[in-house]
């Protein structure tokens, strides 16, 4: 069983930066697909950034060029560096993990249903 815990949320003004952390525990020898999702009030949860088991990364169009996902394998921690934040980035941010499964195209998916393990979320608020 893998436990996922987010931290680093907070309130910033537009144009500011935050770094979210996601600590994974319970399976120190596992190699997992990792992703960051977010959910704004009244909206559906959406994928933001993903890091695959080969280290490659993908981003949603809304954050590409502003957010960076990275992983410290020694610490079993994934980070989401968020720069040039906008009010529309305000949301609860969730980290998710999943063992790799071949889906015919890649070992890691990007849908909510592709991830088995979820954190409780951390709030990010960006004021204008």
């Amino acid at each position: 069983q893998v436990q996922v815990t987010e931290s680093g949320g907070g309130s910033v003004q537009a144009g500011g930066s935050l770094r979210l952390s996601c600590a994974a525990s319970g399976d120190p020898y596992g190699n997992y697909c990792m992703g960051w999702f977010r959910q704004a009030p009244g909206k559906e949860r959406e994928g933001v950034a993903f890091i695959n088991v080969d280290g490659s990364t993908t981003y949603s169009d809304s954050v590409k060029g502003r957010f960076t996902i990275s992983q410290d394998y020694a610490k079993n921690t994934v980070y989401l560096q968020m720069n040039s934040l906008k009010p529309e980035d305000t949301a609860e941010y969730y980290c998710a993990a999943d063992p790799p499964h071949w889906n015919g195209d890649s070992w890691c998916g990007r849908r909510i249903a592709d991830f088995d393990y979820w954190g409780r979320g951390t709030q990010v608020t960006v004021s204008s």
Side-chain angles (χ1 to χ4, degrees):
Q1 185 74 15
V2 175
Q3 293 80 44
V4 178
T5 306
E6 307 95 338
S7 62
S11 298
V12 295
Q13 290 191 329
S17 299
L18 280 174
R19 189 177 79 159
L20 305 183
S21 298
C22 171
S25 62
D27 185 6
Y29 303 105
N31 190 16
Y32 288 82
C33 308
M34 302 296 297
W36 284 98
F37 293 76
R38 67 185 182 186
Q39 187 166 16
K43 295 188 176 181
E44 293 186 352
R45 191 171 299 190
E46 62 173 354
V48 173
F50 303 89
I51 190 162
N52 302 312
V53 290
D54 62 359
S56 61
T57 57
T58 56
Y59 299 90
S60 67
D61 289 342
S62 60
V63 307
K64 196 175 296 182
R66 300 187 297 122
F67 290 12
T68 302
I69 187 172
S70 61
Q71 187 165 12
D72 185 329
Y73 294 95
K75 296 181 180 180
N76 284 331
T77 300
V78 173
Y79 303 98
L80 184 67
Q81 178 66 45
M82 305 185 296
N83 299 327
S84 301
L85 282 161
K86 305 175 181 180
E88 51 263 44
D89 294 318
T90 295
E92 189 82 8
Y93 282 71
Y94 298 89
C95 181
D98 189 67
H101 300 94
W102 183 250
N103 60 20
D105 180 56
S106 67
W107 285 101
C108 296
R110 293 189 289 273
R111 304 171 304 162
I112 294 172
D114 292 325
F115 289 83
D116 288 339
Y117 304 105
W118 291 82
R120 294 186 175 184
T122 185
Q123 178 68 36
V124 171
T125 303
V126 185
S127 58
S128 58

